[in-house]
Structure formats: C-alpha cells, structure tokens
Amino acid sequence: MQTRKKSTALTLIAFWIFITAFTRAGCSQAIPEALTLAGHYFDRQEFQEASELYRRVIFFDKSSAYDSITIPSLAACDFYLQKWDEAAEFFLLSFNVTNNHEFYVYHVVSLMKAGKLMEAKTALFGMEVATEEGQVSKQILFGLIAYEEREFEDAKRYFHAAGNSVPLSQENLDKIWKKTAKVERKTKLKAIVLSGLLPGLGHTYAHHLREGVNSFVLIAGIGAAYIFVAKNVGLIDGIISILPWFNRYYVGGLNGAAELTEQFKTESFDELYNELVLISSQYIM
C-alpha cells in the first residue's frame, strides 16, 4: 500500500514538473525536452506513455511548429496500440502536414484494420500516385480489400495487375487462389444434407472431426435407446420419452454442422488473407 502511494506521488510530481516547465520556463524550451522524452518512450516501445506526451506537446504547441514531428509520431503510437480509428485520423493529418505518400497508405491500412472497408476504398480512389511503386501499392490494397469482402475474382485481378510491375510470387499466389476456391465451394446446405444422411458427417465436412464423432455417438446412442424402449416397453413410450431428445439433438447437429462450416470458411479466409499480406507487404509502403 505504501509503495502504491509512493508511486502515485512520484507520478503527480512528474506531471507537476512537466506543467511547470511549460508555464514558467516557456513552451519553446519545454517542448524539445518533452519530445526527447517521448522519443525515448517510443524507442522502448512504451507507446502509451509516448502517446500521452505527444498529445500534450500538440496541445501546448499553439504555433504548430512541431506538427511534422508530433502528429506522425502520435499516429504511429496509436497504430502500434491498435487504436485504428485514431491512427487513421492522425495518419491523414500527417499526410496533410508533410505530403508524405507513406502516411496516406498507413491511413488506408488503419481504416482496413478498423473494418471500415468502404471508407478505405473511398480513400484509395482519392489517392493520387505519381510513381509506379505508388500504383502497385494502390492495386495491392484494392486487392486486399476485395479479398476481405470475399470478392475473390476482383482480388485476383488486382494482384495480377500488381504482379506485372513487381515480382510477386506467382506460385504462392496460385496456391492461395486454389485454396480459396476450394474453401468457397463449401456451403452450409451441403453440411446440413451430409449431417441429415449421417449424423456427424457434416461436422467432418467442416473439418471438425471430434465434433462429428461426438454427434454421431450421441445421436446413435439416443436412437439405440429409442429402439430398446420401443421394443421392451412400448412404441408409444419410446415416442413420448425418447423421440423428443432424438429430434432435439438431430436438428441441433444439422445446425451445428452449418455453423461450423461457416466458421471454418471464415478462419480459412482469414489465414489466406494473412498469407496475401505477407506476400505483398514489402510492396505496399
């Protein structure tokens, strides 16, 4: 408890010194010191602490003399902290301040990571490029967005266009397109039909063998119990006591197979998307 109070007191003292440095010593003297400390935190990958310092500098820098340093640095901190919305905003500001094409690309990437694919596409359409490298970045980003939207033919077309300018691994790309087509052919309806024919088969189709075995054993066991009761006690007793459970788990198995198929597709597309990023990342920035 005493250690916690001591730590809190030190933090308050440090903050008071920081504010005093701005108000008494003057902003022009304190800002460089704050930037040096923020850079120190950034180099140590303490991005939250660096971010707070950069925000304070921006607040006190009324002349905006340090914007070309603070705004890109703050954008980078937010990016590493996975604050995608804030990163997108500050990377756009960084581009406006410096006219550095790389910051605009990071702006688009941040929007993509935030799941704002429509905004990312709109930003890309407005992205002016004067070099072949910039055009390649644009095509690859369009391709990645198309893949996330499951517009696979469009994604393939964009990557093919980029591959005409840079040495993208065509062999690896072909493997990704083949795997994508294979995964895309899997449907919830097929999983339901297979599970209807043989409980557990739809789960296996969705690459969940353990769940398939469990489903088969459970439904087979309930079916065996129904036959036993119907034969030894009576048909009506079997229908009343066992059949509702059979229907519940049989239908549940159908729905479960459909959900697992969609889950498998989502996970597979995410993995293939990450492979696309690895193949093309060096040509994006």
Side-chain angles (χ1 to χ4, degrees), residues 95-108:
F95 171 74
N96 292 333
V97 169
T98 66
N99 202 31
N100 187 330
H101 164 78
E102 186 174 336
F103 292 139
Y104 196 90
V105 173
Y106 270 111
H107 165 66
V108 175

Side-chain angles (χ1 to χ4, degrees), residues 147 152-153 156 170-186 207 264-276 279:
Y147 196 94
F152 301 121
E153 288 302 316
K156 190 174 181 179
Q170 194 59 47
E171 182 181 354
N172 289 335
L173 284 174
D174 287 341
K175 288 180 180 178
I176 289 174
W177 305 136
K178 288 179 182 178
K179 290 179 182 178
T180 298
K182 185 177 180 180
V183 173
E184 191 178 18
R185 285 194 293 268
K186 290 185 178 293
H207 292 249
F264 169 75
K265 290 178 70 174
T266 299
E267 292 173 351
S268 297
F269 287 141
D270 286 346
E271 290 176 5
L272 293 167
Y273 174 84
N274 290 334
E275 289 184 31
L276 277 176
I279 291 172

Side-chain angles (χ1 to χ4, degrees), residues 18-38:
F18 180 83
I19 296 299
T20 303
F22 275 104
T23 54
R24 293 185 179 179
C27 293
S28 60
Q29 295 178 357
I31 286 178
E33 297 172 2
L35 287 176
T36 299
L37 181 58

Side-chain angles (χ1 to χ4, degrees), residues 190-208:
K190 290 179 182 178
I192 290 172
V193 170
L194 289 171
S195 284
L197 295 173
L198 181 65
L201 191 57
H203 298 74
T204 304
Y205 169 77
H207 292 249
H208 286 78

Side-chain angles (χ1 to χ4, degrees), residues 221-227 229-230 237-247:
I222 294 174
Y226 169 75
I227 293 172
V229 173
D237 293 286
I239 292 174
I240 293 174
S241 60
I242 305 296
L243 196 58
W245 291 99
F246 179 84
N247 287 335

Side-chain angles (χ1 to χ4, degrees), residues 42 47 70-81 87 90-91 94:
F42 190 93
F47 300 117
T70 53
I71 294 177
S73 299
L74 179 56
C77 287
D78 287 335
F79 190 86
Y80 286 120
L81 290 169
F90 282 108
F91 275 126
S94 300

